[in-house]
Amino acid sequence: MPVAAGSPAPAVRTLALAREPQAPELAAVGAPVELAGLAARGPAILFFYKGDCGASDAAAHVLPRLAAIPGLAVAAISQDGATETDGFSGRHLLAPGGVRVLVDPEPWPASEAYGVRSTPTFVLLGRGGVVEAVLEGWS
């Protein structure tokens, strides 16, 4: 069951996708990112996805537009490995679009903590890390 609205955001970390500044190819998965911390200064949207999910693929186009909203942090959290995550991010212009691209490594602790049952799942965190809303799926 997804985390309930009104609950504090679970304390869990994902790994940031990183690139070498001088090389266009994927370099590594970088430092852990505390998801609740993304809402420290304002609201945040967490987008949990799987790269081979058609609904995730269809929904991803809204992420750069959401990231353009002043004061809103947006993070795409992949249930895939680094290479697949990088491909999805590139197809949807996430990183250049201001979207934080993160990897939730197997056994998917962030997805588990947020109760993600299907992809895509959107979680809206209010300022300070309170879960405001959860949306599962896309149509």
Side-chain angles (χ1 to χ4, degrees):
M1 173 167 230
V3 66
S7 317
V12 65
R13 294 176 179 215
T14 60
L15 300 171
L17 197 60
R19 291 177 175 276
E20 292 294 331
Q22 67 276 25
E25 67 275 356
L26 178 66
V29 174
V33 174
E34 178 66 46
L35 293 179
L38 295 174
R41 292 187 218 146
I45 292 178
L46 308 179
F47 172 74
F48 290 88
Y49 76 92
K50 183 90 172 123
D52 62 358
C53 168
S56 294
D57 202 48
H61 76 279
V62 303
L63 298 176
R65 288 190 274 176
L66 290 171
I69 297 171
L72 179 65
V74 178
I77 303 159
S78 170
Q79 295 177 340
D80 297 311
T83 301
E84 295 88 354
T85 299
D86 187 53
F88 187 92
S89 174
R91 271 195 325 276
H92 295 288
L93 305 174
L94 300 183
V99 177
R100 272 311 273 277
V101 180
L102 307 171
V103 175
D104 188 18
E106 196 171 347
W108 310 285
S111 298
E112 189 70 28
Y114 279 85
V116 174
R117 300 180 296 187
S118 62
T119 58
T121 293
F122 292 85
V123 178
L124 173 62
L125 299 179
R127 185 177 185 168
V130 173
V131 175
E132 298 290 334
V134 178
L135 171 69
E136 297 177 287
W138 183 263
S139 68

